[in-house]
Each structure stands twice: as C-alpha cells, then as structure tokens.
Amino acid sequence: MSPAPPARRRAPPFRPVFSVTLAYFAGFFFLFCLLIVAPALVQVAREGEPSEEMQQRAQSAAHDAIQGRLPLAFIAALVVTGIGVYARALPGLRDGGPRR
C-alpha cells in the first residue's frame, strides 16, 4: 500500500488587526477632539443666524478650544483604544482564542 498524501494545512485567515486598531484609534481621537470643541461651537451657534461672520467665529472658537488640548485627546484615545483591546470589547479585534 502506498502512504496517504499529507494533509494540507489551511492557511490562517487574513486578519488586519493593526489596521483595525489604527482605525479605532483615529475614530476615538476625532471623537475626543469633537468633545473638546463642542461646547465652544454650541455657544457660537446660540448667538444668532447662520452667516459668513458666524462661520468665521465658529472656526476661531474651535481653534481656541482645541489649542493646547490636542495631546489630551491623543492620550485619551490611546488609553481608550488600549482598554478596548485588552478587554476585547472592540469588534474586529476579538478572537476566539484564550485570553493572554
């Protein structure tokens, strides 16, 4: 009798974990930037009718609000992404394997 052919190993499925992690980080970063700027934009929006002048004031208010707080948004996004990866709470980053 001839020996049976070796069983073919299936290639592991492609999982873009690093790319998905970067996408989550970018999303959280923009969310925290929006949360920092939102109170200033709401205050400008309550002042009157939409106009070109109001748009310039909103842009100036957003710039002033985020000035110096960008590192805070970066660190917060990094921490939340790290916690989400550690807790396996982010879709696309969960796996069925045992916890490390």
Side-chain angles (χ1 to χ4, degrees):
M1 255 209 264
S2 64
R8 292 185 93 185
R9 292 185 185 176
R10 289 182 50 186
F14 175 68
R15 296 187 41 169
V17 175
F18 183 72
S19 299
V20 173
T21 303
L22 283 178
Y24 277 116
F25 174 76
F28 285 132
F29 179 72
F30 287 126
L31 175 70
F32 286 121
C33 285
L34 181 65
L35 290 174
I36 290 171
V37 170
L41 292 179
V42 168
Q43 183 179 3
V44 170
R46 289 181 179 170
E47 289 178 4
E49 294 293 317
S51 65
E52 187 69 31
E53 179 189 344
M54 179 183 253
Q55 183 178 358
Q56 290 174 355
R57 283 187 295 166
Q59 188 175 8
S60 175
H63 183 269
D64 293 343
I66 200 72
Q67 188 81 23
R69 294 190 181 133
L70 226 46
L72 179 66
F74 183 85
I75 291 169
L78 190 63
V79 167
V80 170
T81 304
I83 290 172
V85 169
Y86 178 75
R88 296 184 181 188
L90 300 175
L93 297 177
R94 300 178 196 153
D95 62 352
R99 201 168 230 207
R100 293 180 230 173

